[in-house]
Amino acid sequence: MASLSTSSLSFKAPSVQSTRTSQVLRKPLSFQPISFGRFQSSKNLRLQISCAAKPETVQKVSDIVREQLALSADTALTAESKFSALGADSLDTVEIVMALEEKFNISVEEADAQNITTIQEAADLIEDLAQKKPAA
């Protein structure tokens, strides 16, 4: 069941009795149809949990961004730092993606590359591509 108020959105998972945690985690959670004011959803809502990239990956991406944009050591970079806010134009972003491909030995599709706007997005994409990459 899901409910929405003007200040919060909350989900309540179906009750699970005497089911081992590992069995629960293997199956996506399903919720019953939900209502948002006058809007009634007739579809089941699915919740997918994904983890953010490892801190080491975020740090490596930050280092590459710092180098590619020639940022000083005192420039604060966080996972939420937007390339555009750091002064990157479209060519800089392409160069960042190329450096990431070389550093992590991955290939980023053009459509994915165009969706990278922050250090966190880049790190998440790298880890996603690394997981999908066949073992050498």
Side-chain angles (χ1 to χ4, degrees):
M1 167 187 254
S3 62
L4 177 67
S5 71
T6 57
S7 62
S8 68
L9 174 65
S10 63
F11 294 95
K12 181 179 178 187
S15 64
V16 179
Q17 296 179 357
S18 69
T19 304
R20 292 173 33 178
T21 304
S22 61
Q23 291 172 324
V24 173
L25 293 177
R26 286 188 209 146
K27 298 178 184 178
L29 296 176
S30 282
F31 299 93
Q32 297 302 315
I34 57 174
S35 175
F36 296 104
R38 292 183 221 153
F39 173 75
Q40 175 73 32
S41 171
S42 61
K43 296 183 180 182
N44 283 342
L45 177 67
R46 292 198 176 261
L47 176 63
Q48 180 177 0
I49 300 172
S50 62
C51 297
K54 297 176 195 164
E56 303 84 42
T57 305
V58 174
Q59 184 58 51
K60 288 178 185 177
V61 171
S62 295
D63 294 343
I64 290 170
V65 169
R66 185 179 305 281
E67 181 181 333
Q68 291 296 317
L69 299 179
L71 300 173
S72 65
D74 60 335
T75 301
L77 292 181
T78 67
E80 294 79 27
S81 295
K82 291 186 178 276
F83 298 156
S84 60
L86 298 170
D89 60 18
S90 59
L91 180 58
D92 291 324
T93 302
V94 169
E95 290 176 350
I96 290 169
V97 171
M98 290 172 56
L100 294 171
E101 287 177 322
E102 185 176 323
K103 172 73 174 180
F104 292 96
N105 195 25
I106 57 170
S107 179
V108 178
E109 297 292 327
E110 186 176 342
D112 290 332
Q114 292 176 352
N115 291 327
I116 299 172
T117 60
T118 66
I119 290 173
Q120 184 68 55
E121 290 171 352
D124 291 342
L125 179 62
I126 288 165
E127 290 201 356
D128 186 47
L129 291 173
Q131 283 182 340
K132 292 178 182 176
K133 188 175 165 182

